[in-house]
Amino acid sequence: MSAISQWMAEGDASRRRALLTAGSFLLPVLVWCLVSYVPFIWHPKVMVDEPGGVDYFQSGMLVDRDEFDDQASQMKSQALALPSGHPANPIYLPAPHSVAKALYTGFTTAPESKDGIWLHQSLWHSIQIIFWGFVLSSLAGVPLGIFSGTYAALGRLNEPFIEFFRYLPAPAFGALAVAVLGIYDGPKIAIIVIGTFFQQVLVIANTTRKLDGTIIEAARTLGTRGLRLITKVVVPGILPDLYRDQRILLGWAWTYLIVAELIGTSSGITWYITQQARYQHFENVYAAIIIIGIIGFGSDLLLERLGRRLFPWDRSRERA
Amino acid sequence: MSQLHSIALPSYLDQSDEVRARFERINQRETILEVRNLHKRYRSAQGETEALRDLNFQVRRREFVCVIGPSGCGKSTLIRILAGLESHSSGDVLLDGKPVKGPGRDRGMVFQGYSLFPWLTVKGNVMFGPEMSGYSRNSAETQARTWLDLVGLTKFADAYPHQLSGGMRQRVAIARALVNQPRILLMDEPFGALDAQTRAKMQSHLLDIWKNIDITVLFITHDLDEAIYLADRILVLKPHPGEVQEVIEVPVPRPRSPGQFNGPEFRATKARLETLIHPPTEEETTDEAATLPNHMIRFTDVTDNVE
C-alpha cells in the first residue's frame, strides 16, 4: 500500500517535472507568439498593402504607424485614394512560423553564389572549430589542473598567473592570433583555447582538491605511491566531477564561438548569420541562433545521459 | 547499594591462573611493534602544541591492543604516526625492529569513515592492494575472493560501496586491509559511526577474524566497553599532552562473549577505566559544563505538563 502510494507520488513528481521542463520552453515561445500574432500588443509598424495616393509607398513596405496614419489623413484631406495596410512588427522580430520555416528552408536552399556554402556546411565548420579548440585546451588544461590540485606547490606556482590571465578577455588576443596563426582556422581555435584553458585549469584543480583526503591516505596505506596515486586514485576519484566540469566548460567554449569566427576571415555559422543579417533575412538569423542552442543543449543532454552510464557509482547526481 | 557492588568487585589487577598463563605466553612472543620515547609537537596559530609526550609501549605478535582516552589525548595522531601518514618529532617507531618510514603495506589501516574507493566494486576494493603490489589480475581476484569469504561478503562482490550498509562497508575495509597480509592492523575508531547493534555484531565479527588469522591489532576507541571486550591490553592515554597513563592487562578470560559484560572482571576493569578517564572531581566545570544553560526558557504551548 505504502509502496504503491510512494510509486504514485514518484510518478506524479516525475510527470510534474516533465511538465515544468516543457513549460520552461513553452513560456518564452508563448510570449513570442502573443507579440507576433496579437496585433494590439505591440506592432509599431504598418505593412503597406495598397499604396493608395501616397507616392512613396509601395506594397510590402514597412512604415511607422504614426507615419502611416499621418499619410492616410493627408490623403483623406486631399480626397485621394487612401493607403491600406495591416499592423506589423519590425523586421528584426519575425513571427515564429517564419522562423520555423527558415529552420527547414535554411537546409534545403542552395547557397546564393555558386561557390557558396550550405547552412549545414557552415555548422559543421563551426562544430570542428569548437571541437579542436576544446580538445587542445583539455589536452593541456586537464592534466595541469589535476597536478595543480594534487601538488600544492605546483598549484601555487601557476595558479596566481592563471587567475590573472583568465581576466583578460579572449577576443583581445584576436589580432595577435591572426598575426601569428594566419587568417583561417588557426586564430579561431586559438581564441577558443584561450577562452577555455585558464578557467579549465582552475576549475579542475579545485575539483581535484575536493577529493576526500582519506581516500588518498587509504590508498597510501595499501602501498600506492608516486604517479600511480594520481592514475589509480585521484583520477578515478574525481572522474564524475571532472566530467561535469568538462560539460560546463564545453558550454563556455560555445559562447566564444561567434567572437572566434569573426576573427580573420569570417566563417562557419557566424559567416552565415552575418550574411543573412546583411540581407535582412532575420528569420534565418533567428533560425541559426536557435540551431546553435539546439546543438549546444542537445549535446550536453547527450553527455549527461552518457555520464550516467559511465559512472554508475556516482551518487551526487542522485541528490540533484 | 552501589557501595555493596564496589565492595563485591575484585581488583582489576587480579587475574585468574588461566589469564595469567595466557599473558605469560603472549609476553614470550616476538615484538611486532615497538614505540620508544615518541614525541609529537606541531606548530599552530596558538604556538607550539605538544600532542604526544614520551610514549613507550610494545605490541606482541597476535596481541589485541586497544588505545583509549578522552578526546584530545592524541590517540588519532598516534595511529596516524604508526601508519606513516604523519611524522613524529622524536623517538622511534619500530616494526619488526625496523623504523617506520611513510605508509606501507606492512601496516594495514581501517579508518572510521570507511574510505572505500567509490568507483570500485567491493571486489575491486579488496583487489586494490594486491594489484598495487604487482600481483596479476587473476591472482588479485583469487586473493580478494578468499578475504571476502572470510568477512562474509561473497554475495556482494560486485556491489558498489554506496549500495552497502555501514557495517558491511567496514567489513570490506577490513578485508581490503587484511588482503595485503600486514604485520599489524591499525584501526582508528572503526565502529564509531555505526549504530549500537551493528557495532556489537562487528566487535564479535572482528574477534572471530582475529582468532582465525595471524594478525596483530592496534585498535583506537573511546568506548570503554568496546576496549574491554576486545583487548588483551588497554593503553590508557591522558590528554594535553597525550601521555600513557596506564597499561591495563584485561583480566576478562577468552573466548570473549557479550555475556561477560556483567562479569566481575569486566566491571572491575570498567570501574578502573572510568576513574582514569573521567576523574570524579576535576574539569567538571570546564568546556561543555560551562556552556550549558542553568535554566531553560519554556517555549511549549502544551499546558498539561506531562513530560
Side-chain angles (χ1 to χ4, degrees):
Chain A
M1 159 62 199
S2 72
I4 290 174
S5 64
Q6 198 184 345
W7 179 81
M8 292 279 280
E10 269 168 27
D12 277 354
S14 72
R15 199 178 317 145
R16 246 182 51 186
R17 260 189 22 202
L19 273 174
L20 289 171
T21 307
S24 80
F25 283 93
L26 283 174
L27 267 176
V29 173
L30 189 70
V31 171
W32 186 18
C33 285
L34 282 174
V35 172
S36 299
Y37 299 130
V38 183
F40 47 82
I41 290 190
W42 190 31
H43 287 74
K45 299 271 185 179
V46 172
M47 168 85 81
V48 178
D49 293 327
E50 287 293 329
V54 188
D55 44 12
Y56 71 93
F57 274 15
Q58 288 167 3
S59 72
M61 188 177 178
L62 271 182
V63 292
D64 284 346
R65 194 150 53 188
D66 293 346
E67 190 187 348
F68 185 87
D69 292 344
D70 194 31
Q71 291 295 337
S73 60
Q74 276 186 35
M75 292 305 112
K76 200 173 180 182
S77 62
Q78 293 168 30
L80 290 170
L82 290 179
S84 70
H86 59 270
N89 276 335
I91 190 156
Y92 57 78
L93 186 68
H97 72 269
S98 60
V99 173
K101 208 174 123 217
L103 267 174
Y104 173 72
T105 55
F107 288 100
T108 55
T109 315
E112 279 164 30
S113 61
K114 215 168 147 200
D115 56 346
I117 301 170
W118 290 72
L119 174 58
H120 63 87
Q121 288 172 313
S122 303
L123 274 172
W124 181 235
H125 190 256
S126 295
I127 290 171
Q128 282 175 306
I129 297 280
I130 290 279
F131 177 81
W132 287 115
F134 191 70
V135 164
L136 288 176
S137 169
S138 298
L139 279 180
V142 172
L144 187 58
I146 292 174
F147 278 103
S148 302
T150 310
Y151 300 111
L154 186 67
R156 239 164 262 141
L157 184 66
N158 64 39
E159 277 174 45
F161 176 74
I162 289 176
E163 278 288 357
F164 159 76
F165 207 100
R166 84 189 167 108
Y167 283 99
L168 309 183
F173 295 87
L176 193 64
V178 169
V180 178
L181 297 165
I183 57 168
Y184 298 108
D185 289 352
K188 304 180 207 310
I189 294 173
I191 295 302
I192 306 267
V193 170
I194 293 171
T196 314
F197 175 78
F198 299 96
Q199 316 282 349
Q200 197 166 29
V201 174
L202 294 180
V203 167
I204 290 175
N206 217 18
T207 296
T208 309
R209 266 182 224 115
K210 272 190 277 181
L211 180 65
D212 182 5
T214 59
I215 282 184
I216 294 174
E217 289 184 343
R220 289 174 66 204
T221 62
L222 292 169
T224 324
R225 54 189 65 213
L227 203 60
R228 285 220 279 186
L229 215 48
I230 289 191
T231 56
K232 297 279 182 185
V233 184
V234 175
V235 170
I238 63 167
L239 208 53
D241 290 323
L242 178 69
Y243 186 82
R244 256 190 295 277
D245 289 346
Q246 287 288 78
R247 269 173 50 205
I248 292 168
L249 287 158
L250 184 60
W252 239 317
W254 271 98
T255 62
Y256 280 104
L257 177 71
I258 301 294
V259 172
E261 284 185 332
L262 283 172
I263 287 164
T265 55
S266 171
S267 71
I269 193 70
T270 309
W271 176 84
Y272 182 86
I273 289 175
T274 45
Q275 284 294 308
Q276 297 302 325
R278 190 166 297 160
Y279 296 119
Q280 300 208 324
H281 295 158
F282 286 104
E283 64 279 11
N284 290 346
V285 171
Y286 279 86
I289 291 173
I290 289 172
I291 287 170
I292 296 178
I294 290 173
I295 293 176
F297 186 65
S299 57
D300 189 64
L301 274 184
L302 261 164
L303 289 173
E304 198 230 321
R305 287 276 156 84
L306 185 67
R308 284 191 212 180
R309 286 269 164 95
L310 288 174
F311 314 116
W313 70 85
D314 181 27
R315 302 198 69 206
S316 42
R317 73 181 144 76
E318 280 169 29
R319 292 195 297 267
Chain B
M1 184 70 192
S2 67
Q3 214 161 11
L4 265 179
H5 262 290
S6 58
I7 291 167
L9 278 183
S11 162
Y12 70 100
L13 294 168
D14 292 346
Q15 296 175 352
S16 67
D17 293 342
E18 211 183 335
V19 171
R20 191 175 304 113
R22 190 182 133 73
F23 274 114
E24 273 164 20
R25 280 205 313 279
I26 288 177
N27 285 331
Q28 276 156 24
R29 290 189 197 144
E30 58 187 300
T31 302
I32 297 281
L33 179 79
E34 185 171 3
V35 171
R36 280 200 306 229
N37 310 109
L38 184 75
H39 288 262
K40 171 72 178 178
R41 288 175 292 268
Y42 50 84
R43 289 210 174 81
S44 63
Q46 292 86 37
E48 193 160 89
T49 315
E50 192 170 21
L52 295 172
R53 178 186 287 174
D54 200 25
L55 256 54
N56 286 286
F57 63 91
Q58 295 179 340
V59 183
R60 306 274 179 181
R61 183 165 179 185
R62 287 209 67 209
E63 198 180 5
F64 201 126
V65 174
C66 280
V67 179
I68 200 164
S71 56
C73 72
K75 50 190 195 294
S76 272
T77 309
L78 170 64
I79 204 167
R80 289 174 58 79
I81 290 173
L82 299 182
L85 294 170
E86 259 178 59
S87 62
H88 51 276
S89 310
S90 64
D92 298 300
V93 176
L94 303 171
L95 189 81
D96 291 322
K98 288 186 290 276
V100 156
K101 273 192 222 122
R105 50 196 301 268
D106 49 2
R107 282 150 289 139
M109 177 100 169
V110 175
F111 299 82
Q112 179 176 8
Y114 319 124
S115 68
L116 297 175
F117 305 125
W119 64 93
L120 294 174
T121 60
V122 166
K123 193 174 72 191
N125 266 280
V126 183
M127 284 167 65
F128 188 89
E131 284 190 322
M132 282 299 128
S133 335
Y135 286 99
S136 73
R137 230 189 135 65
N138 267 339
S139 162
E141 187 164 346
T142 320
Q143 295 179 44
R145 289 207 178 277
T146 311
W147 289 95
L148 280 180
D149 194 36
L150 186 92
V151 297
L153 286 176
T154 308
K155 271 200 290 183
F156 296 91
D158 296 316
Y160 283 102
H162 77 259
Q163 295 166 309
L164 304 183
S165 68
M168 285 157 100
R169 283 185 214 185
Q170 210 51 296
R171 273 146 74 188
V172 179
I174 292 171
R176 183 179 68 173
L178 288 178
V179 70
N180 272 344
Q181 297 186 290
R183 296 291 285 163
I184 188 167
L185 183 63
L186 306 169
M187 306 182 84
D188 187 5
E189 301 199 31
F191 308 147
L194 303 177
D195 61 86
Q197 239 178 344
T198 315
R199 189 187 311 179
K201 274 190 207 150
M202 286 299 294
Q203 288 163 358
S204 303
H205 187 66
L206 179 64
L207 283 181
D208 278 341
I209 294 174
W210 173 71
K211 232 179 287 176
N212 289 309
I213 62 170
D214 180 4
I215 188 71
T216 311
V217 182
L218 189 102
F219 189 106
I220 304 261
T221 181
H222 62 257
D223 180 337
L224 308 184
D225 289 325
E226 185 170 68
I228 304 166
Y229 181 54
L230 295 176
D232 291 316
R233 285 190 299 149
I234 300 174
L235 201 68
V236 185
L237 296 186
K238 73 174 197 52
H240 313 301
E243 272 181 302
V244 178
Q245 200 169 11
E246 187 172 350
V247 181
I248 295 178
E249 292 186 339
V250 180
V252 183
R254 290 192 189 269
R256 302 271 166 82
S257 71
Q260 291 167 315
F261 275 76
N262 288 318
E265 300 98 339
F266 200 103
R267 292 204 334 260
T269 315
K270 187 168 180 185
R272 175 61 185 167
L273 283 177
E274 264 167 355
T275 52
L276 286 175
I277 290 173
H278 309 293
T281 48
E282 55 177 331
E283 291 195 50
E284 272 302 306
T285 50
T286 59
D287 294 356
E288 270 161 72
T291 61
L292 284 176
N294 26 11
H295 71 94
M296 271 191 199
I297 306 161
R298 195 171 159 86
F299 282 121
T300 177
D301 281 338
V302 181
T303 52
D304 59 5
N305 276 327
V306 178
E307 278 195 291

